[in-house]
PDB file of all heavy atoms in Angstrom:
ATOM      1  N   LEU Y 242      22.946  50.829   4.527  1.00 94.00           N
ATOM      2  CA  LEU Y 242      24.272  50.750   5.135  1.00 94.00           C
ATOM      3  C   LEU Y 242      25.070  52.015   4.840  1.00 94.00           C
ATOM      4  O   LEU Y 242      26.064  52.298   5.477  1.00 94.00           O
ATOM      5  CB  LEU Y 242      25.040  49.537   4.590  1.00 94.00           C
ATOM      6  CG  LEU Y 242      24.376  48.196   4.775  1.00 94.00           C
ATOM      7  CD1 LEU Y 242      25.276  47.088   4.269  1.00 94.00           C
ATOM      8  CD2 LEU Y 242      24.060  47.956   6.219  1.00 94.00           C
ATOM      9  N   ASP Y 243      24.622  52.761   3.846  1.00 90.00           N
ATOM     10  CA  ASP Y 243      25.297  53.976   3.447  1.00 90.00           C
ATOM     11  C   ASP Y 243      24.877  55.169   4.290  1.00 90.00           C
ATOM     12  O   ASP Y 243      25.574  56.161   4.364  1.00 90.00           O
ATOM     13  CB  ASP Y 243      24.933  54.260   1.985  1.00 90.00           C
ATOM     14  CG  ASP Y 243      26.125  54.604   1.161  1.00 90.00           C
ATOM     15  OD1 ASP Y 243      27.255  54.449   1.663  1.00 90.00           O
ATOM     16  OD2 ASP Y 243      25.939  55.042   0.029  1.00 90.00           O
ATOM     17  N   CYS Y 244      23.685  55.055   4.889  1.00 90.00           N
ATOM     18  CA  CYS Y 244      23.118  56.096   5.763  1.00 90.00           C
ATOM     19  C   CYS Y 244      22.985  57.430   5.058  1.00 90.00           C
ATOM     20  O   CYS Y 244      23.238  58.482   5.648  1.00 90.00           O
ATOM     21  CB  CYS Y 244      23.948  56.271   7.044  1.00 90.00           C
ATOM     22  SG  CYS Y 244      24.176  54.737   7.916  1.00 90.00           S
ATOM     23  N   ARG Y 245      22.601  57.396   3.765  1.00 90.00           N
ATOM     24  CA  ARG Y 245      22.447  58.666   3.066  1.00 90.00           C
ATOM     25  C   ARG Y 245      21.088  58.779   2.396  1.00 90.00           C
ATOM     26  O   ARG Y 245      20.913  59.575   1.497  1.00 90.00           O
ATOM     27  CB  ARG Y 245      23.542  58.805   2.001  1.00 90.00           C
ATOM     28  CG  ARG Y 245      24.858  59.222   2.586  1.00 90.00           C
ATOM     29  CD  ARG Y 245      25.835  59.527   1.522  1.00 90.00           C
ATOM     30  NE  ARG Y 245      25.962  58.425   0.599  1.00 90.00           N
ATOM     31  CZ  ARG Y 245      26.553  58.529  -0.578  1.00 90.00           C
ATOM     32  NH1 ARG Y 245      27.029  59.673  -0.953  1.00 90.00           N
ATOM     33  NH2 ARG Y 245      26.652  57.493  -1.367  1.00 90.00           N
ATOM     34  N   ASP Y 247      17.480  59.809   1.436  1.00 90.00           N
ATOM     35  CA  ASP Y 247      16.749  61.060   1.604  1.00 90.00           C
ATOM     36  C   ASP Y 247      15.261  60.775   1.452  1.00 90.00           C
ATOM     37  O   ASP Y 247      14.782  60.483   0.357  1.00 90.00           O
ATOM     38  CB  ASP Y 247      17.225  62.053   0.537  1.00 90.00           C
ATOM     39  CG  ASP Y 247      16.657  63.438   0.772  1.00 90.00           C
ATOM     40  OD1 ASP Y 247      16.061  63.674   1.843  1.00 90.00           O
ATOM     41  OD2 ASP Y 247      16.806  64.288  -0.118  1.00 90.00           O
ATOM     42  N   MET Y 292       3.484  54.669   1.660  1.00 92.00           N
ATOM     43  CA  MET Y 292       4.581  55.027   2.550  1.00 92.00           C
ATOM     44  C   MET Y 292       4.696  54.024   3.702  1.00 92.00           C
ATOM     45  O   MET Y 292       5.786  53.716   4.164  1.00 92.00           O
ATOM     46  CB  MET Y 292       4.372  56.438   3.122  1.00 92.00           C
ATOM     47  CG  MET Y 292       4.595  57.543   2.121  1.00 92.00           C
ATOM     48  SD  MET Y 292       6.314  57.691   1.610  1.00 92.00           S
ATOM     49  CE  MET Y 292       6.889  58.912   2.761  1.00 92.00           C
ATOM     50  N   PHE Y 295       6.781  50.837   3.126  1.00 93.00           N
ATOM     51  CA  PHE Y 295       8.213  50.964   2.949  1.00 93.00           C
ATOM     52  C   PHE Y 295       8.871  50.845   4.319  1.00 93.00           C
ATOM     53  O   PHE Y 295       8.671  51.698   5.175  1.00 93.00           O
ATOM     54  CB  PHE Y 295       8.501  52.327   2.312  1.00 93.00           C
ATOM     55  CG  PHE Y 295       9.935  52.603   2.068  1.00 93.00           C
ATOM     56  CD1 PHE Y 295      10.603  51.977   1.039  1.00 93.00           C
ATOM     57  CD2 PHE Y 295      10.623  53.494   2.870  1.00 93.00           C
ATOM     58  CE1 PHE Y 295      11.932  52.222   0.802  1.00 93.00           C
ATOM     59  CE2 PHE Y 295      11.959  53.747   2.650  1.00 93.00           C
ATOM     60  CZ  PHE Y 295      12.615  53.111   1.608  1.00 93.00           C
ATOM     61  N   TYR Y 297      12.251  50.672   6.675  1.00 94.00           N
ATOM     62  CA  TYR Y 297      13.608  51.211   6.557  1.00 94.00           C
ATOM     63  C   TYR Y 297      14.376  50.982   7.851  1.00 94.00           C
ATOM     64  O   TYR Y 297      13.822  51.129   8.943  1.00 94.00           O
ATOM     65  CB  TYR Y 297      13.488  52.711   6.267  1.00 94.00           C
ATOM     66  CG  TYR Y 297      14.771  53.475   6.259  1.00 94.00           C
ATOM     67  CD1 TYR Y 297      15.533  53.563   5.106  1.00 94.00           C
ATOM     68  CD2 TYR Y 297      15.223  54.112   7.401  1.00 94.00           C
ATOM     69  CE1 TYR Y 297      16.711  54.275   5.089  1.00 94.00           C
ATOM     70  CE2 TYR Y 297      16.408  54.824   7.394  1.00 94.00           C
ATOM     71  CZ  TYR Y 297      17.138  54.908   6.237  1.00 94.00           C
ATOM     72  OH  TYR Y 297      18.306  55.619   6.220  1.00 94.00           O
ATOM     73  N   ARG Y 299      18.600  51.602   9.448  1.00 93.00           N
ATOM     74  CA  ARG Y 299      19.975  52.025   9.191  1.00 93.00           C
ATOM     75  C   ARG Y 299      20.906  51.125   9.965  1.00 93.00           C
ATOM     76  O   ARG Y 299      20.592  50.697  11.071  1.00 93.00           O
ATOM     77  CB  ARG Y 299      20.229  53.416   9.778  1.00 93.00           C
ATOM     78  CG  ARG Y 299      19.439  54.476   9.241  1.00 93.00           C
ATOM     79  CD  ARG Y 299      19.917  55.773   9.790  1.00 93.00           C
ATOM     80  NE  ARG Y 299      19.837  56.735   8.735  1.00 93.00           N
ATOM     81  CZ  ARG Y 299      20.673  57.724   8.536  1.00 93.00           C
ATOM     82  NH1 ARG Y 299      21.657  57.883   9.362  1.00 93.00           N
ATOM     83  NH2 ARG Y 299      20.517  58.532   7.544  1.00 93.00           N
ATOM     84  N   TYR Y 301      24.991  51.117  11.272  1.00 93.00           N
ATOM     85  CA  TYR Y 301      26.212  51.900  11.326  1.00 93.00           C
ATOM     86  C   TYR Y 301      27.450  51.034  11.349  1.00 93.00           C
ATOM     87  O   TYR Y 301      28.555  51.561  11.265  1.00 93.00           O
ATOM     88  CB  TYR Y 301      26.194  52.822  12.548  1.00 93.00           C
ATOM     89  CG  TYR Y 301      25.185  53.935  12.437  1.00 93.00           C
ATOM     90  CD1 TYR Y 301      24.063  53.970  13.239  1.00 93.00           C
ATOM     91  CD2 TYR Y 301      25.351  54.954  11.506  1.00 93.00           C
ATOM     92  CE1 TYR Y 301      23.141  54.986  13.136  1.00 93.00           C
ATOM     93  CE2 TYR Y 301      24.432  55.975  11.400  1.00 93.00           C
ATOM     94  CZ  TYR Y 301      23.331  55.986  12.219  1.00 93.00           C
ATOM     95  OH  TYR Y 301      22.415  57.004  12.112  1.00 93.00           O
ATOM     96  N   LYS Y 311      19.546  38.744  11.086  1.00 92.00           N
ATOM     97  CA  LYS Y 311      19.140  37.580  11.874  1.00 92.00           C
ATOM     98  C   LYS Y 311      17.705  37.716  12.373  1.00 92.00           C
ATOM     99  O   LYS Y 311      17.015  36.726  12.564  1.00 92.00           O
ATOM    100  CB  LYS Y 311      20.082  37.400  13.066  1.00 92.00           C
ATOM    101  CG  LYS Y 311      21.399  36.771  12.651  1.00 92.00           C
ATOM    102  CD  LYS Y 311      22.052  36.039  13.796  1.00 92.00           C
ATOM    103  CE  LYS Y 311      23.432  35.567  13.451  1.00 92.00           C
ATOM    104  NZ  LYS Y 311      23.495  34.483  12.495  1.00 92.00           N
ATOM    105  N   TRP Y 340      36.292  48.315   4.365  1.00 89.00           N
ATOM    106  CA  TRP Y 340      37.582  48.722   4.931  1.00 89.00           C
ATOM    107  C   TRP Y 340      37.642  48.468   6.426  1.00 89.00           C
ATOM    108  O   TRP Y 340      38.662  48.030   6.960  1.00 89.00           O
ATOM    109  CB  TRP Y 340      37.828  50.212   4.676  1.00 89.00           C
ATOM    110  CG  TRP Y 340      38.207  50.527   3.281  1.00 89.00           C
ATOM    111  CD1 TRP Y 340      37.481  51.246   2.381  1.00 89.00           C
ATOM    112  CD2 TRP Y 340      39.415  50.162   2.613  1.00 89.00           C
ATOM    113  NE1 TRP Y 340      38.155  51.342   1.203  1.00 89.00           N
ATOM    114  CE2 TRP Y 340      39.334  50.701   1.304  1.00 89.00           C
ATOM    115  CE3 TRP Y 340      40.556  49.452   2.978  1.00 89.00           C
ATOM    116  CZ2 TRP Y 340      40.359  50.536   0.370  1.00 89.00           C
ATOM    117  CZ3 TRP Y 340      41.571  49.291   2.047  1.00 89.00           C
ATOM    118  CH2 TRP Y 340      41.453  49.835   0.758  1.00 89.00           C
ATOM    119  N   ASN Y 354      39.175  27.393  17.197  1.00 69.00           N
ATOM    120  CA  ASN Y 354      38.220  27.378  16.099  1.00 69.00           C
ATOM    121  C   ASN Y 354      37.294  28.563  16.122  1.00 69.00           C
ATOM    122  O   ASN Y 354      36.350  28.624  15.351  1.00 69.00           O
ATOM    123  CB  ASN Y 354      37.357  26.106  16.175  1.00 69.00           C
ATOM    124  CG  ASN Y 354      38.167  24.893  15.811  1.00 69.00           C
ATOM    125  OD1 ASN Y 354      39.105  25.002  15.046  1.00 69.00           O
ATOM    126  ND2 ASN Y 354      37.809  23.769  16.367  1.00 69.00           N
ATOM    127  N   ARG Y 355      37.584  29.487  17.002  1.00 72.00           N
ATOM    128  CA  ARG Y 355      36.668  30.610  17.158  1.00 72.00           C
ATOM    129  C   ARG Y 355      36.695  31.485  15.922  1.00 72.00           C
ATOM    130  O   ARG Y 355      37.758  31.856  15.426  1.00 72.00           O
ATOM    131  CB  ARG Y 355      37.100  31.421  18.373  1.00 72.00           C
ATOM    132  CG  ARG Y 355      36.047  32.346  18.871  1.00 72.00           C
ATOM    133  CD  ARG Y 355      36.476  32.971  20.159  1.00 72.00           C
ATOM    134  NE  ARG Y 355      35.587  34.054  20.511  1.00 72.00           N
ATOM    135  CZ  ARG Y 355      35.776  34.858  21.531  1.00 72.00           C
ATOM    136  NH1 ARG Y 355      36.829  34.692  22.289  1.00 72.00           N
ATOM    137  NH2 ARG Y 355      34.938  35.818  21.802  1.00 72.00           N
ATOM    138  N   LYS Y 356      35.524  31.832  15.422  1.00 76.00           N
ATOM    139  CA  LYS Y 356      35.454  32.627  14.200  1.00 76.00           C
ATOM    140  C   LYS Y 356      35.855  34.061  14.505  1.00 76.00           C
ATOM    141  O   LYS Y 356      35.262  34.715  15.356  1.00 76.00           O
ATOM    142  CB  LYS Y 356      34.012  32.633  13.679  1.00 76.00           C
ATOM    143  CG  LYS Y 356      33.678  31.465  12.794  1.00 76.00           C
ATOM    144  CD  LYS Y 356      32.344  31.694  12.114  1.00 76.00           C
ATOM    145  CE  LYS Y 356      31.938  30.481  11.336  1.00 76.00           C
ATOM    146  NZ  LYS Y 356      30.582  30.582  10.826  1.00 76.00           N
ATOM    147  N   LYS Y 373      18.906  32.065   3.434  1.00 93.00           N
ATOM    148  CA  LYS Y 373      17.812  31.467   4.220  1.00 93.00           C
ATOM    149  C   LYS Y 373      16.534  32.286   4.088  1.00 93.00           C
ATOM    150  O   LYS Y 373      15.441  31.746   3.953  1.00 93.00           O
ATOM    151  CB  LYS Y 373      18.227  31.405   5.696  1.00 93.00           C
ATOM    152  CG  LYS Y 373      18.980  30.151   6.058  1.00 93.00           C
ATOM    153  CD  LYS Y 373      19.137  30.029   7.540  1.00 93.00           C
ATOM    154  CE  LYS Y 373      20.159  31.016   8.044  1.00 93.00           C
ATOM    155  NZ  LYS Y 373      20.433  30.867   9.476  1.00 93.00           N
ATOM    156  N   ASN Y 454      20.750  70.917 -17.132  1.00 67.00           N
ATOM    157  CA  ASN Y 454      21.773  70.141 -17.806  1.00 67.00           C
ATOM    158  C   ASN Y 454      21.930  68.836 -17.058  1.00 67.00           C
ATOM    159  O   ASN Y 454      22.334  68.828 -15.916  1.00 67.00           O
ATOM    160  CB  ASN Y 454      23.075  70.942 -17.724  1.00 67.00           C
ATOM    161  CG  ASN Y 454      23.883  70.771 -18.964  1.00 67.00           C
ATOM    162  OD1 ASN Y 454      23.526  70.006 -19.836  1.00 67.00           O
ATOM    163  ND2 ASN Y 454      24.973  71.495 -19.031  1.00 67.00           N
TER     164      ASN Y 454
ATOM    165  N   ASP F 152      32.548  26.893  20.338  1.00 84.00           N
ATOM    166  CA  ASP F 152      33.423  28.052  20.187  1.00 84.00           C
ATOM    167  C   ASP F 152      32.670  29.367  20.154  1.00 84.00           C
ATOM    168  O   ASP F 152      33.005  30.257  19.386  1.00 84.00           O
ATOM    169  CB  ASP F 152      34.283  27.939  18.913  1.00 84.00           C
ATOM    170  CG  ASP F 152      35.259  26.810  19.032  1.00 84.00           C
ATOM    171  OD1 ASP F 152      35.992  26.786  20.036  1.00 84.00           O
ATOM    172  OD2 ASP F 152      35.256  25.946  18.149  1.00 84.00           O
ATOM    173  N   ASP F 158      30.269  36.424  18.671  1.00 85.00           N
ATOM    174  CA  ASP F 158      30.420  35.100  18.059  1.00 85.00           C
ATOM    175  C   ASP F 158      29.081  34.559  17.602  1.00 85.00           C
ATOM    176  O   ASP F 158      28.985  33.911  16.557  1.00 85.00           O
ATOM    177  CB  ASP F 158      31.028  34.124  19.071  1.00 85.00           C
ATOM    178  CG  ASP F 158      32.459  34.470  19.407  1.00 85.00           C
ATOM    179  OD1 ASP F 158      33.119  35.061  18.540  1.00 85.00           O
ATOM    180  OD2 ASP F 158      32.890  34.153  20.520  1.00 85.00           O
ATOM    181  N   LEU F 160      26.633  36.239  16.513  1.00 88.00           N
ATOM    182  CA  LEU F 160      26.213  36.905  15.280  1.00 88.00           C
ATOM    183  C   LEU F 160      26.837  36.245  14.066  1.00 88.00           C
ATOM    184  O   LEU F 160      26.287  36.274  12.979  1.00 88.00           O
ATOM    185  CB  LEU F 160      26.622  38.380  15.311  1.00 88.00           C
ATOM    186  CG  LEU F 160      25.719  39.316  16.099  1.00 88.00           C
ATOM    187  CD1 LEU F 160      26.286  40.717  16.066  1.00 88.00           C
ATOM    188  CD2 LEU F 160      24.318  39.329  15.528  1.00 88.00           C
ATOM    189  N   HIS F 162      27.478  33.070  13.773  1.00 88.00           N
ATOM    190  CA  HIS F 162      27.116  31.661  13.683  1.00 88.00           C
ATOM    191  C   HIS F 162      25.702  31.495  13.162  1.00 88.00           C
ATOM    192  O   HIS F 162      24.879  32.383  13.269  1.00 88.00           O
ATOM    193  CB  HIS F 162      27.197  31.009  15.070  1.00 88.00           C
ATOM    194  CG  HIS F 162      28.480  30.295  15.288  1.00 88.00           C
ATOM    195  ND1 HIS F 162      29.612  30.937  15.718  1.00 88.00           N
ATOM    196  CD2 HIS F 162      28.836  29.005  15.116  1.00 88.00           C
ATOM    197  CE1 HIS F 162      30.586  30.078  15.811  1.00 88.00           C
ATOM    198  NE2 HIS F 162      30.145  28.896  15.455  1.00 88.00           N
ATOM    199  N   ASP F 163      25.441  30.302  12.655  1.00 88.00           N
ATOM    200  CA  ASP F 163      24.109  29.983  12.174  1.00 88.00           C
ATOM    201  C   ASP F 163      23.286  29.479  13.364  1.00 88.00           C
ATOM    202  O   ASP F 163      23.583  28.424  13.922  1.00 88.00           O
ATOM    203  CB  ASP F 163      24.220  28.897  11.098  1.00 88.00           C
ATOM    204  CG  ASP F 163      22.911  28.678  10.386  1.00 88.00           C
ATOM    205  OD1 ASP F 163      21.855  29.092  10.926  1.00 88.00           O
ATOM    206  OD2 ASP F 163      22.936  28.107   9.295  1.00 88.00           O
ATOM    207  N   TYR F 165      20.204  28.418  13.532  1.00 87.00           N
ATOM    208  CA  TYR F 165      19.378  27.227  13.296  1.00 87.00           C
ATOM    209  C   TYR F 165      20.200  25.961  13.494  1.00 87.00           C
ATOM    210  O   TYR F 165      19.729  24.974  14.059  1.00 87.00           O
ATOM    211  CB  TYR F 165      18.809  27.258  11.874  1.00 87.00           C
ATOM    212  CG  TYR F 165      17.783  28.340  11.684  1.00 87.00           C
ATOM    213  CD1 TYR F 165      18.104  29.527  11.033  1.00 87.00           C
ATOM    214  CD2 TYR F 165      16.489  28.180  12.157  1.00 87.00           C
ATOM    215  CE1 TYR F 165      17.171  30.519  10.869  1.00 87.00           C
ATOM    216  CE2 TYR F 165      15.549  29.167  11.993  1.00 87.00           C
ATOM    217  CZ  TYR F 165      15.891  30.334  11.351  1.00 87.00           C
ATOM    218  OH  TYR F 165      14.976  31.322  11.190  1.00 87.00           O
ATOM    219  N   GLN F 196      19.433  49.383  14.966  1.00 91.00           N
ATOM    220  CA  GLN F 196      18.603  50.581  15.000  1.00 91.00           C
ATOM    221  C   GLN F 196      17.133  50.184  14.810  1.00 91.00           C
ATOM    222  O   GLN F 196      16.855  49.153  14.224  1.00 91.00           O
ATOM    223  CB  GLN F 196      19.026  51.531  13.871  1.00 91.00           C
ATOM    224  CG  GLN F 196      20.486  51.935  13.918  1.00 91.00           C
ATOM    225  CD  GLN F 196      20.804  52.775  15.103  1.00 91.00           C
ATOM    226  OE1 GLN F 196      19.987  53.576  15.540  1.00 91.00           O
ATOM    227  NE2 GLN F 196      21.989  52.607  15.655  1.00 91.00           N
ATOM    228  N   LEU F 199      11.715  51.652  10.853  1.00 92.00           N
ATOM    229  CA  LEU F 199      10.762  52.744  10.683  1.00 92.00           C
ATOM    230  C   LEU F 199      10.063  52.547   9.357  1.00 92.00           C
ATOM    231  O   LEU F 199      10.659  52.045   8.409  1.00 92.00           O
ATOM    232  CB  LEU F 199      11.497  54.095  10.648  1.00 92.00           C
ATOM    233  CG  LEU F 199      12.255  54.509  11.899  1.00 92.00           C
ATOM    234  CD1 LEU F 199      13.184  55.661  11.570  1.00 92.00           C
ATOM    235  CD2 LEU F 199      11.281  54.936  12.967  1.00 92.00           C
ATOM    236  N   ASN F 200       8.800  52.965   9.270  1.00 90.00           N
ATOM    237  CA  ASN F 200       8.210  52.950   7.936  1.00 90.00           C
ATOM    238  C   ASN F 200       8.281  54.358   7.358  1.00 90.00           C
ATOM    239  O   ASN F 200       8.738  55.296   8.021  1.00 90.00           O
ATOM    240  CB  ASN F 200       6.780  52.387   7.965  1.00 90.00           C
ATOM    241  CG  ASN F 200       5.830  53.272   8.752  1.00 90.00           C
ATOM    242  OD1 ASN F 200       6.024  54.468   8.849  1.00 90.00           O
ATOM    243  ND2 ASN F 200       4.798  52.667   9.298  1.00 90.00           N
ATOM    244  N   GLY F 201       7.839  54.481   6.116  1.00 91.00           N
ATOM    245  CA  GLY F 201       8.006  55.733   5.397  1.00 91.00           C
ATOM    246  C   GLY F 201       7.386  56.923   6.098  1.00 91.00           C
ATOM    247  O   GLY F 201       7.955  58.020   6.138  1.00 91.00           O
ATOM    248  N   TYR F 371      31.536  57.565   9.432  1.00 95.00           N
ATOM    249  CA  TYR F 371      30.306  57.003   9.975  1.00 95.00           C
ATOM    250  C   TYR F 371      29.957  57.579  11.330  1.00 95.00           C
ATOM    251  O   TYR F 371      28.787  57.766  11.656  1.00 95.00           O
ATOM    252  CB  TYR F 371      30.405  55.466  10.043  1.00 95.00           C
ATOM    253  CG  TYR F 371      29.916  54.825   8.779  1.00 95.00           C
ATOM    254  CD1 TYR F 371      30.794  54.578   7.727  1.00 95.00           C
ATOM    255  CD2 TYR F 371      28.581  54.525   8.592  1.00 95.00           C
ATOM    256  CE1 TYR F 371      30.346  54.037   6.546  1.00 95.00           C
ATOM    257  CE2 TYR F 371      28.132  53.991   7.416  1.00 95.00           C
ATOM    258  CZ  TYR F 371      29.017  53.750   6.392  1.00 95.00           C
ATOM    259  OH  TYR F 371      28.567  53.224   5.215  1.00 95.00           O
ATOM    260  N   LYS F 374      28.347  60.832  10.627  1.00 95.00           N
ATOM    261  CA  LYS F 374      26.981  60.660  10.105  1.00 95.00           C
ATOM    262  C   LYS F 374      26.031  60.228  11.214  1.00 95.00           C
ATOM    263  O   LYS F 374      24.869  60.645  11.260  1.00 95.00           O
ATOM    264  CB  LYS F 374      26.972  59.619   8.975  1.00 95.00           C
ATOM    265  CG  LYS F 374      27.444  60.177   7.652  1.00 95.00           C
ATOM    266  CD  LYS F 374      26.951  59.380   6.486  1.00 95.00           C
ATOM    267  CE  LYS F 374      27.815  58.196   6.205  1.00 95.00           C
ATOM    268  NZ  LYS F 374      27.598  57.708   4.825  1.00 95.00           N
ATOM    269  N   GLU F 379      21.402  60.934  14.543  1.00 92.00           N
ATOM    270  CA  GLU F 379      20.771  60.563  15.814  1.00 92.00           C
ATOM    271  C   GLU F 379      20.577  61.758  16.729  1.00 92.00           C
ATOM    272  O   GLU F 379      19.635  61.798  17.512  1.00 92.00           O
ATOM    273  CB  GLU F 379      21.627  59.510  16.547  1.00 92.00           C
ATOM    274  CG  GLU F 379      21.943  58.273  15.733  1.00 92.00           C
ATOM    275  CD  GLU F 379      20.705  57.458  15.428  1.00 92.00           C
ATOM    276  OE1 GLU F 379      19.788  57.455  16.256  1.00 92.00           O
ATOM    277  OE2 GLU F 379      20.648  56.850  14.352  1.00 92.00           O
ATOM    278  N   SER F 405      36.938  55.904  -1.672  1.00 88.00           N
ATOM    279  CA  SER F 405      36.143  55.409  -0.552  1.00 88.00           C
ATOM    280  C   SER F 405      35.450  56.538   0.193  1.00 88.00           C
ATOM    281  O   SER F 405      34.359  56.353   0.709  1.00 88.00           O
ATOM    282  CB  SER F 405      37.016  54.639   0.433  1.00 88.00           C
ATOM    283  OG  SER F 405      37.980  53.909  -0.231  1.00 88.00           O
ATOM    284  N   LYS F 431      27.749  66.931  -5.622  1.00 80.00           N
ATOM    285  CA  LYS F 431      26.821  65.825  -5.355  1.00 80.00           C
ATOM    286  C   LYS F 431      25.767  66.284  -4.356  1.00 80.00           C
ATOM    287  O   LYS F 431      26.080  66.989  -3.402  1.00 80.00           O
ATOM    288  CB  LYS F 431      27.585  64.639  -4.758  1.00 80.00           C
ATOM    289  CG  LYS F 431      26.727  63.403  -4.626  1.00 80.00           C
ATOM    290  CD  LYS F 431      27.571  62.207  -4.340  1.00 80.00           C
ATOM    291  CE  LYS F 431      28.076  62.255  -2.927  1.00 80.00           C
ATOM    292  NZ  LYS F 431      28.385  60.914  -2.443  1.00 80.00           N
ATOM    293  N   SER F 434      19.204  64.987  -3.346  1.00 73.00           N
ATOM    294  CA  SER F 434      17.898  65.192  -3.972  1.00 73.00           C
ATOM    295  C   SER F 434      17.931  66.178  -5.119  1.00 73.00           C
ATOM    296  O   SER F 434      16.909  66.538  -5.634  1.00 73.00           O
ATOM    297  CB  SER F 434      16.873  65.631  -2.933  1.00 73.00           C
ATOM    298  OG  SER F 434      17.418  66.632  -2.131  1.00 73.00           O
ATOM    299  N   SER F 438      22.920  68.558 -13.212  1.00 45.00           N
ATOM    300  CA  SER F 438      24.373  68.474 -13.155  1.00 45.00           C
ATOM    301  C   SER F 438      24.950  69.778 -12.639  1.00 45.00           C
ATOM    302  O   SER F 438      24.354  70.827 -12.771  1.00 45.00           O
ATOM    303  CB  SER F 438      24.889  68.169 -14.548  1.00 45.00           C
ATOM    304  OG  SER F 438      26.181  68.680 -14.716  1.00 45.00           O
TER     305      SER F 438
END
Side-chain angles (χ1 to χ4, degrees):
Chain Y
L242 303 183
D243 227 10
C244 306
R245 281 188 306 166
D247 188 10
M292 287 292 267
F295 180 74
Y297 174 87
R299 298 187 142 215
Y301 291 111
K311 282 206 187 290
W340 285 114
N354 289 331
R355 197 173 169 186
K356 274 191 186 172
K373 272 190 287 185
N454 216 355
Chain F
D152 293 307
D158 292 332
L160 280 178
H162 263 84
D163 190 342
Y165 291 102
Q196 303 293 325
L199 297 166
N200 65 28
Y371 270 90
K374 281 202 276 199
E379 305 294 328
S405 323
K431 187 167 73 155
S434 46
S438 152

